[in-house]
């Protein structure tokens, strides 16, 4: 019994790549491409092939965003060459590297935190320092209220 179960799993493992070729994923290719399109491609198709199917891009340097602007993964040109469509890929957006979304995503977290700290300390942002709450402690139903 154990040997037949092992053989079944082994043959399923061997046939897995051919099974994945039959799975197709619908995705949107948009952004800085010649012709934004909706494609239906097999899982495993390289991202750059999808960009070429949309007419390619005129940008010499670009980033590829897989997914949405909040939770999507941002790839450089070099990283995108190694990436492929997965079963969860829903959209590909080609972006220039100088837009705020890309700059914010590529800025290391420690730099962002340091910048925010300097902004708070200089008084250009909301202050969390003592005295920023009303004299009664900001008690409104047990919650503290931060005055901006």
């Amino acid at each position: 019994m154990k040997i037949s179960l092992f053989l079944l799993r082994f043959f399923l493992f061997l046939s897995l790549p051919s099974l994945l070729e039959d799975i197709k994923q619908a995705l949107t290719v948009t952004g800085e491409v010649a012709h934004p399109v909706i494609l239906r491609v097999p899982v495993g198709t390289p991202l750059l092939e999808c960009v070429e199917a949309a007419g390619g891009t005129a940008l010499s340097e670009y980033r590829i965003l897989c997914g949405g602007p909040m939770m999507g993964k941002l790839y450089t040109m070099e990283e995108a060459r190694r990436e492929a469509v997965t079963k969860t890929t829903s959209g590909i957006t080609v972006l220039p590297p100088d837009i705020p979304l890309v700059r914010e995503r590529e800025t290391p977290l420690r730099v962002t935190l340091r910048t925010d700290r300097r902004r708070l300390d200089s008084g250009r942002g909301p202050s969390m320092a003592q005295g920023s709450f009303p004299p009664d402690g900001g008690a409104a139903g047990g919650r503290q209220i931060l005055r901006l």
Side-chain angles (χ1 to χ4, degrees), residues 35-107:
H35 310 287
V37 293
I38 297 174
L39 301 173
R40 189 164 175 84
V41 297
V43 169
T45 303
L47 294 181
L48 294 183
E49 277 188 29
C50 298
V51 172
E52 290 303 318
T57 181
L59 299 174
S60 59
E61 186 179 346
Y62 57 88
R63 304 291 187 267
I64 292 185
L65 180 67
C66 285
M70 294 297 288
M71 300 298 292
K73 176 83 170 108
L74 188 67
Y75 297 107
T76 63
M77 291 169 45
E78 294 77 27
E79 292 170 336
R81 287 187 182 101
R82 298 186 300 265
E83 294 298 322
V85 173
T86 65
K87 67 178 187 174
T88 60
T89 305
S90 60
I92 298 172
T93 307
V94 179
L95 302 168
D98 58 348
I99 64 170
L101 173 69
V102 173
R103 283 196 313 259
E104 289 174 14
R105 289 286 200 88
E106 291 180 340
T107 302

Side-chain angles (χ1 to χ4, degrees), residues 17 65 69 84 100 110 113:
L65 180 67
R110 64 178 157 58
L113 293 175

